[in-house]
Amino acid sequence: MTEIINAIKKAAIKINEAIKYEDTSKINSTNSSGDEQVKLDVISDEIIEKEFSTVSSICEIISEEKDSIVKINPAGKYLVAYDPLDGSSLIDVNLSVGSIFGIYKNSFDGENIVASVYVVYGPRVEMVIARDNVELFKLDEKTGEFTYQKELRLKEKGKVLAPGGTQKEWLAHHKNLIESLFKEGYRLRYSGGMVPDLHQILLKGGGLFAYPATHDKQKGKLRMLFEVFPFAYTYKLAGGLAIDGHNDLLALRPDFLHDTTPCFFGSDYEIKKVLQAYHNKG
Ligand code: P6P
């Protein structure tokens, strides 16, 4: 596992440089999820695949930017699913973006994720590694070293609310849930970038991130393998909860590699509010 994490560190440093200097233009193509690709999506994917190609403990990889699995080493014991540059459309408005990695054994099912890593490319480059606990690292750009900062834990309740999805497409019970939390005094913190939005809640010690089923996206938008399972693993290990409105996200099995699910990540109090709001709502 250490060689996988070291490969991610090397890739993150190269992606950070690419974000600064490569152009942010769209290329005339979409990925398997139907997202328009920017040049940096493809560059980031190539950087990561090159670093993983020499890691003997990896059996196969799958990227959000790829249609199919890439075999690495048949004797490798880990499978890695990754989103090379999540929220890349935010780069041309100079907002933070990230890379997300889920490390699995045997299959790309929620129950088989054994670690997750994400990188935030913001005012600082930070990395969060969830393995036996959740640890924050910060990149020293002079030395190229990621230095340990602290362990991250979620409190029982937070103050931050990140309500995703197009509001006019929210189902009535979801709209009522979000409105009730704002009435309780939650602060709106939503950039449209999953990585910085979830990173903020984790670092602030609690709150709720929601990307629900909507009238126009009945299975939500966020991808199980590359985005949802890694953050579900991270949030649960940090003492929080992660559900699809009814059940633990890590109990889910994707029907296909790019499958999506409604998802809620947060502290205990907020997730219990979601369960109440979604009880008997299908
Ligand atoms: P919306 C970025 O495109 C992304 O995949 C996630 O990073 C983010 O949480 C979500 O989509 C934002 O989607 O529909 O709120 O713009």
Side-chain angles (χ1 to χ4, degrees):
M1 180 91 70
T2 304
E3 57 176 351
I4 296 175
I5 292 170
N6 288 339
I8 291 172
K9 289 177 179 176
K10 287 182 207 158
I13 291 167
K14 291 175 181 164
I15 292 170
N16 184 46
E17 289 305 302
I19 288 168
K20 285 183 187 143
Y21 302 113
E22 290 289 343
D23 76 49
T24 60
S25 56
K26 285 189 168 66
I27 52 180
N28 188 23
S29 69
T30 57
N31 64 20
S32 303
S33 303
D35 296 334
E36 273 190 303
Q37 288 180 306
V38 297
K39 190 173 168 187
L40 275 164
D41 285 319
V42 177
I43 291 169
S44 302
D45 190 26
E46 288 168 351
I47 287 170
I48 292 167
E49 183 177 354
K50 186 165 184 284
E51 291 299 338
F52 282 167
S53 65
T54 59
V55 176
S56 61
S57 60
I58 297 178
C59 176
E60 58 190 39
I61 61 176
I62 177 66
S63 163
E64 187 178 291
E65 302 305 331
K66 286 182 172 44
D67 296 338
S68 52
I69 283 170
V70 174
K71 300 285 186 193
I72 304 292
N73 173 15
K77 67 177 186 176
Y78 296 109
L79 317 174
V80 184
Y82 62 93
D83 182 354
L85 199 58
D86 184 78
S88 55
S89 60
L90 299 171
I91 294 174
D92 62 4
V93 293
N94 202 23
L95 288 179
S96 297
V97 292
S99 302
I100 313 167
F101 303 82
I103 300 168
Y104 301 77
K105 274 188 172 176
N106 306 317
S107 73
F108 286 118
D109 293 318
E111 64 187 6
N112 288 332
I113 189 167
V114 295
S116 66
V117 179
Y118 70 82
V119 184
V120 189
Y121 308 100
R124 297 194 298 255
V125 177
E126 294 187 331
M127 178 179 284
V128 171
I129 301 173
R131 201 172 167 185
D132 307 316
N133 57 10
V134 181
E135 297 186 328
L136 172 68
F137 296 80
K138 185 174 74 171
L139 175 64
D140 178 335
E141 298 201 31
K142 295 190 200 70
T143 65
E145 292 297 320
F146 281 90
T147 52
Y148 174 79
Q149 302 298 305
K150 59 182 175 181
E151 183 181 348
L152 300 177
R153 294 291 300 169
L154 287 163
K155 301 184 194 96
E156 195 269 338
K157 184 180 183 303
K159 297 178 180 142
V160 173
L161 178 54
T166 305
Q167 296 196 20
K168 76 175 181 62
E169 301 294 349
W170 285 349
L171 305 181
H173 60 278
H174 183 78
K175 188 170 186 298
N176 295 336
L177 165 70
I178 299 301
E179 286 173 353
S180 72
L181 288 169
F182 280 129
K183 283 195 185 107
E184 286 189 40
Y186 280 79
R187 313 292 297 276
L188 171 62
R189 295 290 184 271
Y190 191 77
S191 72
M194 180 183 198
V195 173
D197 290 344
L198 280 160
H199 189 58
Q200 175 170 198
I201 292 169
L202 197 50
L203 265 63
K204 295 281 187 191
L208 177 67
F209 173 99
Y211 205 106
T214 55
H215 292 298
D216 62 337
K217 296 185 176 89
Q218 274 101 29
K219 286 194 77 181
K221 172 183 182 183
L222 301 178
R223 280 64 44 154
M224 288 187 195
L225 271 58
F226 317 104
E227 297 163 324
V228 173
F229 290 163
F231 272 108
Y233 185 83
T234 304
Y235 265 57
K236 288 178 70 182
L237 195 58
L241 294 166
I243 61 170
D244 63 0
H246 306 278
N247 304 303
D248 183 339
L249 285 167
L250 294 184
L252 299 181
R253 289 169 176 258
D255 293 332
F256 53 95
L257 288 174
H258 292 268
D259 204 358
T260 63
T261 176
C263 53
F264 302 83
F265 309 88
S267 312
D268 194 68
Y269 173 85
E270 289 86 353
I271 294 295
K272 288 199 169 102
K273 285 279 188 185
V274 176
L275 288 166
Q276 286 164 10
Y278 276 70
H279 185 61
N280 290 336
K281 295 294 183 197

mmCIF file of all heavy atoms in Angstrom, residues 43-83:
data_model
loop_
_atom_site.group_PDB
_atom_site.id
_atom_site.type_symbol
_atom_site.label_atom_id
_atom_site.label_comp_id
_atom_site.label_asym_id
_atom_site.label_seq_id
_atom_site.Cartn_x
_atom_site.Cartn_y
_atom_site.Cartn_z
ATOM 1 N N ILE A 43 -4.581 15.060 -19.189
ATOM 2 C CA ILE A 43 -3.186 15.161 -18.719
ATOM 3 C C ILE A 43 -3.037 14.527 -17.332
ATOM 4 O O ILE A 43 -2.129 13.724 -17.084
ATOM 5 C CB ILE A 43 -2.742 16.641 -18.693
ATOM 6 C CG1 ILE A 43 -2.629 17.191 -20.114
ATOM 7 C CG2 ILE A 43 -1.442 16.811 -17.914
ATOM 8 C CD1 ILE A 43 -2.455 18.698 -20.167
ATOM 9 N N SER A 44 -3.975 14.845 -16.436
ATOM 10 C CA SER A 44 -3.905 14.306 -15.061
ATOM 11 C C SER A 44 -4.048 12.794 -15.073
ATOM 12 O O SER A 44 -3.337 12.081 -14.348
ATOM 13 C CB SER A 44 -5.001 14.935 -14.199
ATOM 14 O OG SER A 44 -4.863 16.339 -14.195
ATOM 15 N N ASP A 45 -4.967 12.310 -15.908
ATOM 16 C CA ASP A 45 -5.166 10.862 -15.998
ATOM 17 C C ASP A 45 -3.893 10.170 -16.494
ATOM 18 O O ASP A 45 -3.474 9.139 -15.953
ATOM 19 C CB ASP A 45 -6.338 10.585 -16.951
ATOM 20 C CG ASP A 45 -6.754 9.129 -16.917
ATOM 21 O OD1 ASP A 45 -6.535 8.468 -15.889
ATOM 22 O OD2 ASP A 45 -7.267 8.646 -17.933
ATOM 23 N N GLU A 46 -3.257 10.768 -17.479
ATOM 24 C CA GLU A 46 -2.010 10.186 -18.018
ATOM 25 C C GLU A 46 -0.886 10.198 -16.982
ATOM 26 O O GLU A 46 -0.127 9.244 -16.857
ATOM 27 C CB GLU A 46 -1.592 10.961 -19.278
ATOM 28 C CG GLU A 46 -2.502 10.689 -20.484
ATOM 29 C CD GLU A 46 -2.283 11.664 -21.644
ATOM 30 O OE1 GLU A 46 -1.552 12.670 -21.468
ATOM 31 O OE2 GLU A 46 -2.865 11.436 -22.715
ATOM 32 N N ILE A 47 -0.827 11.274 -16.193
ATOM 33 C CA ILE A 47 0.214 11.365 -15.137
ATOM 34 C C ILE A 47 0.024 10.228 -14.130
ATOM 35 O O ILE A 47 0.969 9.522 -13.761
ATOM 36 C CB ILE A 47 0.142 12.729 -14.433
ATOM 37 C CG1 ILE A 47 0.668 13.841 -15.350
ATOM 38 C CG2 ILE A 47 0.921 12.699 -13.107
ATOM 39 C CD1 ILE A 47 0.411 15.249 -14.833
ATOM 40 N N ILE A 48 -1.220 10.044 -13.697
ATOM 41 C CA ILE A 48 -1.497 9.018 -12.673
ATOM 42 C C ILE A 48 -1.260 7.618 -13.231
ATOM 43 O O ILE A 48 -0.600 6.784 -12.586
ATOM 44 C CB ILE A 48 -2.932 9.172 -12.150
ATOM 45 C CG1 ILE A 48 -3.065 10.479 -11.361
ATOM 46 C CG2 ILE A 48 -3.321 7.975 -11.264
ATOM 47 C CD1 ILE A 48 -4.503 10.876 -11.061
ATOM 48 N N GLU A 49 -1.750 7.377 -14.436
ATOM 49 C CA GLU A 49 -1.573 6.034 -15.014
ATOM 50 C C GLU A 49 -0.092 5.703 -15.172
ATOM 51 O O GLU A 49 0.347 4.584 -14.863
ATOM 52 C CB GLU A 49 -2.278 5.939 -16.380
ATOM 53 C CG GLU A 49 -2.169 4.539 -16.975
ATOM 54 C CD GLU A 49 -2.925 4.373 -18.292
ATOM 55 O OE1 GLU A 49 -3.647 5.311 -18.700
ATOM 56 O OE2 GLU A 49 -2.794 3.302 -18.900
ATOM 57 N N LYS A 50 0.704 6.682 -15.551
ATOM 58 C CA LYS A 50 2.166 6.441 -15.704
ATOM 59 C C LYS A 50 2.784 6.078 -14.352
ATOM 60 O O LYS A 50 3.581 5.150 -14.244
ATOM 61 C CB LYS A 50 2.805 7.697 -16.296
ATOM 62 C CG LYS A 50 4.281 7.556 -16.640
ATOM 63 C CD LYS A 50 4.732 8.704 -17.555
ATOM 64 C CE LYS A 50 6.194 8.537 -17.988
ATOM 65 N NZ LYS A 50 7.138 8.892 -16.890
ATOM 66 N N GLU A 51 2.399 6.809 -13.309
ATOM 67 C CA GLU A 51 2.960 6.493 -11.985
ATOM 68 C C GLU A 51 2.500 5.111 -11.507
ATOM 69 O O GLU A 51 3.297 4.352 -10.957
ATOM 70 C CB GLU A 51 2.511 7.556 -10.961
ATOM 71 C CG GLU A 51 3.101 8.921 -11.155
ATOM 72 C CD GLU A 51 4.627 8.949 -11.039
ATOM 73 O OE1 GLU A 51 5.208 8.036 -10.426
ATOM 74 O OE2 GLU A 51 5.245 9.876 -11.576
ATOM 75 N N PHE A 52 1.231 4.770 -11.741
ATOM 76 C CA PHE A 52 0.715 3.464 -11.279
ATOM 77 C C PHE A 52 1.277 2.300 -12.103
ATOM 78 O O PHE A 52 1.319 1.160 -11.630
ATOM 79 C CB PHE A 52 -0.812 3.451 -11.346
ATOM 80 C CG PHE A 52 -1.495 4.175 -10.206
ATOM 81 C CD1 PHE A 52 -2.834 4.478 -10.277
ATOM 82 C CD2 PHE A 52 -0.792 4.533 -9.057
ATOM 83 C CE1 PHE A 52 -3.493 5.140 -9.239
ATOM 84 C CE2 PHE A 52 -1.423 5.187 -8.012
ATOM 85 C CZ PHE A 52 -2.770 5.503 -8.100
ATOM 86 N N SER A 53 1.703 2.586 -13.328
ATOM 87 C CA SER A 53 2.098 1.487 -14.239
ATOM 88 C C SER A 53 3.297 0.699 -13.718
ATOM 89 O O SER A 53 3.546 -0.419 -14.137
ATOM 90 C CB SER A 53 2.419 2.059 -15.624
ATOM 91 O OG SER A 53 3.564 2.905 -15.531
ATOM 92 N N THR A 54 4.044 1.286 -12.778
ATOM 93 C CA THR A 54 5.248 0.592 -12.276
ATOM 94 C C THR A 54 5.064 0.106 -10.827
ATOM 95 O O THR A 54 6.031 -0.271 -10.174
ATOM 96 C CB THR A 54 6.451 1.570 -12.298
ATOM 97 O OG1 THR A 54 6.114 2.702 -11.460
ATOM 98 C CG2 THR A 54 6.744 2.046 -13.711
ATOM 99 N N VAL A 55 3.820 0.146 -10.329
ATOM 100 C CA VAL A 55 3.583 -0.269 -8.937
ATOM 101 C C VAL A 55 3.161 -1.740 -8.916
ATOM 102 O O VAL A 55 2.053 -2.091 -9.332
ATOM 103 C CB VAL A 55 2.497 0.620 -8.280
ATOM 104 C CG1 VAL A 55 2.189 0.132 -6.861
ATOM 105 C CG2 VAL A 55 2.946 2.082 -8.265
ATOM 106 N N SER A 56 4.025 -2.579 -8.411
ATOM 107 C CA SER A 56 3.804 -4.037 -8.525
ATOM 108 C C SER A 56 2.619 -4.532 -7.685
ATOM 109 O O SER A 56 2.042 -5.572 -7.976
ATOM 110 C CB SER A 56 5.064 -4.786 -8.101
ATOM 111 O OG SER A 56 5.348 -4.470 -6.736
ATOM 112 N N SER A 57 2.233 -3.754 -6.675
ATOM 113 C CA SER A 57 1.127 -4.231 -5.813
ATOM 114 C C SER A 57 -0.249 -3.913 -6.395
ATOM 115 O O SER A 57 -1.278 -4.271 -5.811
ATOM 116 C CB SER A 57 1.248 -3.601 -4.424
ATOM 117 O OG SER A 57 1.183 -2.194 -4.523
ATOM 118 N N ILE A 58 -0.267 -3.231 -7.552
ATOM 119 C CA ILE A 58 -1.553 -2.912 -8.191
ATOM 120 C C ILE A 58 -1.868 -3.946 -9.269
ATOM 121 O O ILE A 58 -1.056 -4.170 -10.167
ATOM 122 C CB ILE A 58 -1.548 -1.516 -8.829
ATOM 123 C CG1 ILE A 58 -1.363 -0.420 -7.780
ATOM 124 C CG2 ILE A 58 -2.876 -1.269 -9.584
ATOM 125 C CD1 ILE A 58 -1.295 0.994 -8.368
ATOM 126 N N CYS A 59 -3.027 -4.541 -9.155
ATOM 127 C CA CYS A 59 -3.461 -5.516 -10.170
ATOM 128 C C CYS A 59 -4.100 -4.792 -11.356
ATOM 129 O O CYS A 59 -3.763 -5.052 -12.508
ATOM 130 C CB CYS A 59 -4.477 -6.470 -9.532
ATOM 131 S SG CYS A 59 -5.186 -7.640 -10.667
ATOM 132 N N GLU A 60 -5.027 -3.859 -11.067
ATOM 133 C CA GLU A 60 -5.677 -3.120 -12.156
ATOM 134 C C GLU A 60 -6.161 -1.768 -11.663
ATOM 135 O O GLU A 60 -6.329 -1.571 -10.455
ATOM 136 C CB GLU A 60 -6.848 -3.922 -12.734
ATOM 137 C CG GLU A 60 -7.927 -4.289 -11.736
ATOM 138 C CD GLU A 60 -8.927 -5.283 -12.302
ATOM 139 O OE1 GLU A 60 -8.529 -6.216 -13.032
ATOM 140 O OE2 GLU A 60 -10.127 -5.120 -12.001
ATOM 141 N N ILE A 61 -6.355 -0.857 -12.613
ATOM 142 C CA ILE A 61 -6.840 0.482 -12.288
ATOM 143 C C ILE A 61 -8.019 0.822 -13.183
ATOM 144 O O ILE A 61 -8.153 0.277 -14.295
ATOM 145 C CB ILE A 61 -5.731 1.552 -12.450
ATOM 146 C CG1 ILE A 61 -5.219 1.605 -13.896
ATOM 147 C CG2 ILE A 61 -4.610 1.324 -11.448
ATOM 148 C CD1 ILE A 61 -4.185 2.715 -14.142
ATOM 149 N N ILE A 62 -8.872 1.706 -12.690
ATOM 150 C CA ILE A 62 -9.950 2.258 -13.512
ATOM 151 C C ILE A 62 -10.067 3.731 -13.160
ATOM 152 O O ILE A 62 -10.031 4.098 -11.989
ATOM 153 C CB ILE A 62 -11.291 1.514 -13.319
ATOM 154 C CG1 ILE A 62 -12.405 2.176 -14.135
ATOM 155 C CG2 ILE A 62 -11.669 1.407 -11.869
ATOM 156 C CD1 ILE A 62 -12.248 2.086 -15.635
ATOM 157 N N SER A 63 -10.171 4.544 -14.215
ATOM 158 C CA SER A 63 -10.238 5.994 -14.046
ATOM 159 C C SER A 63 -11.616 6.503 -14.443
ATOM 160 O O SER A 63 -12.247 5.947 -15.371
ATOM 161 C CB SER A 63 -9.178 6.662 -14.934
ATOM 162 O OG SER A 63 -9.460 8.039 -15.093
ATOM 163 N N GLU A 64 -12.048 7.584 -13.807
ATOM 164 C CA GLU A 64 -13.309 8.213 -14.219
ATOM 165 C C GLU A 64 -13.230 8.681 -15.664
ATOM 166 O O GLU A 64 -14.230 8.820 -16.358
ATOM 167 C CB GLU A 64 -13.647 9.392 -13.297
ATOM 168 C CG GLU A 64 -15.036 9.968 -13.599
ATOM 169 C CD GLU A 64 -15.415 11.098 -12.683
ATOM 170 O OE1 GLU A 64 -15.643 10.826 -11.486
ATOM 171 O OE2 GLU A 64 -15.463 12.240 -13.144
ATOM 172 N N GLU A 65 -11.999 8.925 -16.130
ATOM 173 C CA GLU A 65 -11.805 9.421 -17.511
ATOM 174 C C GLU A 65 -11.628 8.295 -18.515
ATOM 175 O O GLU A 65 -11.404 8.548 -19.697
ATOM 176 C CB GLU A 65 -10.601 10.365 -17.561
ATOM 177 C CG GLU A 65 -10.703 11.565 -16.635
ATOM 178 C CD GLU A 65 -11.972 12.394 -16.830
ATOM 179 O OE1 GLU A 65 -12.486 12.418 -17.974
ATOM 180 O OE2 GLU A 65 -12.459 12.981 -15.873
ATOM 181 N N LYS A 66 -11.725 7.036 -18.029
ATOM 182 C CA LYS A 66 -11.538 5.900 -18.951
ATOM 183 C C LYS A 66 -12.810 5.055 -19.020
ATOM 184 O O LYS A 66 -13.557 4.971 -18.052
ATOM 185 C CB LYS A 66 -10.394 5.006 -18.462
ATOM 186 C CG LYS A 66 -8.983 5.561 -18.646
ATOM 187 C CD LYS A 66 -7.979 4.525 -18.158
ATOM 188 C CE LYS A 66 -6.531 4.856 -18.465
ATOM 189 N NZ LYS A 66 -6.101 6.196 -18.246
ATOM 190 N N ASP A 67 -13.012 4.411 -20.183
ATOM 191 C CA ASP A 67 -14.193 3.541 -20.345
ATOM 192 C C ASP A 67 -13.995 2.187 -19.692
ATOM 193 O O ASP A 67 -14.951 1.540 -19.277
ATOM 194 C CB ASP A 67 -14.459 3.317 -21.851
ATOM 195 C CG ASP A 67 -14.825 4.624 -22.531
ATOM 196 O OD1 ASP A 67 -15.278 5.549 -21.815
ATOM 197 O OD2 ASP A 67 -14.629 4.746 -23.750
ATOM 198 N N SER A 68 -12.746 1.729 -19.633
ATOM 199 C CA SER A 68 -12.557 0.345 -19.143
ATOM 200 C C SER A 68 -11.322 0.229 -18.249
ATOM 201 O O SER A 68 -10.528 1.157 -18.128
ATOM 202 C CB SER A 68 -12.411 -0.591 -20.355
ATOM 203 O OG SER A 68 -11.399 -0.073 -21.195
ATOM 204 N N ILE A 69 -11.211 -0.924 -17.656
ATOM 205 C CA ILE A 69 -10.141 -1.237 -16.702
ATOM 206 C C ILE A 69 -8.813 -1.380 -17.434
ATOM 207 O O ILE A 69 -8.763 -1.870 -18.568
ATOM 208 C CB ILE A 69 -10.509 -2.539 -15.952
ATOM 209 C CG1 ILE A 69 -11.567 -2.217 -14.873
ATOM 210 C CG2 ILE A 69 -9.286 -3.198 -15.310
ATOM 211 C CD1 ILE A 69 -12.195 -3.424 -14.211
ATOM 212 N N VAL A 70 -7.727 -0.920 -16.782
ATOM 213 C CA VAL A 70 -6.371 -1.099 -17.307
ATOM 214 C C VAL A 70 -5.638 -2.090 -16.400
ATOM 215 O O VAL A 70 -5.568 -1.902 -15.191
ATOM 216 C CB VAL A 70 -5.611 0.246 -17.334
ATOM 217 C CG1 VAL A 70 -4.158 0.052 -17.737
ATOM 218 C CG2 VAL A 70 -6.308 1.240 -18.267
ATOM 219 N N LYS A 71 -5.126 -3.173 -16.995
ATOM 220 C CA LYS A 71 -4.407 -4.185 -16.217
ATOM 221 C C LYS A 71 -2.985 -3.684 -15.945
ATOM 222 O O LYS A 71 -2.336 -3.137 -16.845
ATOM 223 C CB LYS A 71 -4.325 -5.511 -17.003
ATOM 224 C CG LYS A 71 -5.695 -6.115 -17.341
ATOM 225 C CD LYS A 71 -6.328 -6.744 -16.143
ATOM 226 C CE LYS A 71 -7.627 -7.480 -16.503
ATOM 227 N NZ LYS A 71 -8.393 -7.834 -15.274
ATOM 228 N N ILE A 72 -2.491 -3.889 -14.708
ATOM 229 C CA ILE A 72 -1.128 -3.479 -14.364
ATOM 230 C C ILE A 72 -0.265 -4.695 -14.085
ATOM 231 O O ILE A 72 0.651 -5.020 -14.823
ATOM 232 C CB ILE A 72 -1.129 -2.520 -13.156
ATOM 233 C CG1 ILE A 72 -2.016 -1.299 -13.423
ATOM 234 C CG2 ILE A 72 0.305 -2.120 -12.797
ATOM 235 C CD1 ILE A 72 -1.521 -0.346 -14.491
ATOM 236 N N ASN A 73 -0.547 -5.418 -12.985
ATOM 237 C CA ASN A 73 0.250 -6.597 -12.622
ATOM 238 C C ASN A 73 -0.684 -7.702 -12.105
ATOM 239 O O ASN A 73 -1.272 -7.538 -11.032
ATOM 240 C CB ASN A 73 1.275 -6.216 -11.537
ATOM 241 C CG ASN A 73 2.009 -7.439 -10.994
ATOM 242 O OD1 ASN A 73 1.958 -8.512 -11.611
ATOM 243 N ND2 ASN A 73 2.633 -7.298 -9.834
ATOM 244 N N PRO A 74 -0.852 -8.781 -12.825
ATOM 245 C CA PRO A 74 -1.809 -9.838 -12.416
ATOM 246 C C PRO A 74 -1.581 -10.344 -10.990
ATOM 247 O O PRO A 74 -2.516 -10.780 -10.324
ATOM 248 C CB PRO A 74 -1.545 -10.958 -13.435
ATOM 249 C CG PRO A 74 -0.880 -10.301 -14.594
ATOM 250 C CD PRO A 74 -0.113 -9.128 -14.051
ATOM 251 N N ALA A 75 -0.333 -10.212 -10.511
ATOM 252 C CA ALA A 75 -0.024 -10.691 -9.153
ATOM 253 C C ALA A 75 -0.283 -9.605 -8.097
ATOM 254 O O ALA A 75 -0.181 -9.855 -6.899
ATOM 255 C CB ALA A 75 1.441 -11.125 -9.087
ATOM 256 N N GLY A 76 -0.638 -8.424 -8.537
ATOM 257 C CA GLY A 76 -0.881 -7.331 -7.582
ATOM 258 C C GLY A 76 -2.122 -7.602 -6.749
ATOM 259 O O GLY A 76 -3.076 -8.224 -7.232
ATOM 260 N N LYS A 77 -2.126 -7.116 -5.479
ATOM 261 C CA LYS A 77 -3.275 -7.459 -4.630
ATOM 262 C C LYS A 77 -4.275 -6.323 -4.479
ATOM 263 O O LYS A 77 -5.314 -6.478 -3.836
ATOM 264 C CB LYS A 77 -2.793 -7.945 -3.263
ATOM 265 C CG LYS A 77 -2.118 -6.946 -2.367
ATOM 266 C CD LYS A 77 -1.781 -7.625 -1.029
ATOM 267 C CE LYS A 77 -1.225 -6.646 -0.019
ATOM 268 N NZ LYS A 77 -0.985 -7.268 1.288
ATOM 269 N N TYR A 78 -4.001 -5.162 -5.093
ATOM 270 C CA TYR A 78 -4.933 -4.043 -4.951
ATOM 271 C C TYR A 78 -5.518 -3.618 -6.291
ATOM 272 O O TYR A 78 -4.849 -3.731 -7.332
ATOM 273 C CB TYR A 78 -4.216 -2.836 -4.335
ATOM 274 C CG TYR A 78 -3.718 -3.086 -2.926
ATOM 275 C CD1 TYR A 78 -2.360 -3.217 -2.664
ATOM 276 C CD2 TYR A 78 -4.612 -3.210 -1.862
ATOM 277 C CE1 TYR A 78 -1.892 -3.446 -1.377
ATOM 278 C CE2 TYR A 78 -4.152 -3.439 -0.570
ATOM 279 C CZ TYR A 78 -2.794 -3.552 -0.334
ATOM 280 O OH TYR A 78 -2.338 -3.790 0.938
ATOM 281 N N LEU A 79 -6.749 -3.109 -6.200
ATOM 282 C CA LEU A 79 -7.408 -2.484 -7.355
ATOM 283 C C LEU A 79 -7.544 -1.011 -6.997
ATOM 284 O O LEU A 79 -7.897 -0.678 -5.856
ATOM 285 C CB LEU A 79 -8.797 -3.073 -7.566
ATOM 286 C CG LEU A 79 -8.969 -4.598 -7.436
ATOM 287 C CD1 LEU A 79 -10.445 -4.966 -7.544
ATOM 288 C CD2 LEU A 79 -8.165 -5.314 -8.489
ATOM 289 N N VAL A 80 -7.285 -0.119 -7.935
ATOM 290 C CA VAL A 80 -7.396 1.311 -7.643
ATOM 291 C C VAL A 80 -8.359 1.973 -8.623
ATOM 292 O O VAL A 80 -8.237 1.789 -9.836
ATOM 293 C CB VAL A 80 -6.025 2.019 -7.716
ATOM 294 C CG1 VAL A 80 -6.169 3.487 -7.297
ATOM 295 C CG2 VAL A 80 -5.005 1.326 -6.800
ATOM 296 N N ALA A 81 -9.348 2.690 -8.059
ATOM 297 C CA ALA A 81 -10.271 3.494 -8.868
ATOM 298 C C ALA A 81 -10.011 4.953 -8.521
ATOM 299 O O ALA A 81 -9.888 5.282 -7.338
ATOM 300 C CB ALA A 81 -11.721 3.125 -8.570
ATOM 301 N N TYR A 82 -9.923 5.786 -9.542
ATOM 302 C CA TYR A 82 -9.577 7.185 -9.224
ATOM 303 C C TYR A 82 -10.264 8.181 -10.146
ATOM 304 O O TYR A 82 -10.595 7.873 -11.302
ATOM 305 C CB TYR A 82 -8.050 7.382 -9.285
ATOM 306 C CG TYR A 82 -7.415 7.144 -10.636
ATOM 307 C CD1 TYR A 82 -7.212 8.190 -11.528
ATOM 308 C CD2 TYR A 82 -7.024 5.860 -11.021
ATOM 309 C CE1 TYR A 82 -6.611 7.970 -12.766
ATOM 310 C CE2 TYR A 82 -6.443 5.629 -12.257
ATOM 311 C CZ TYR A 82 -6.239 6.687 -13.119
ATOM 312 O OH TYR A 82 -5.659 6.460 -14.356
ATOM 313 N N ASP A 83 -10.493 9.367 -9.607
ATOM 314 C CA ASP A 83 -10.945 10.516 -10.390
ATOM 315 C C ASP A 83 -9.741 11.450 -10.461
ATOM 316 O O ASP A 83 -9.403 12.091 -9.470
ATOM 317 C CB ASP A 83 -12.142 11.183 -9.689
ATOM 318 C CG ASP A 83 -12.683 12.354 -10.493
ATOM 319 O OD1 ASP A 83 -12.052 12.707 -11.520
ATOM 320 O OD2 ASP A 83 -13.718 12.925 -10.095
#
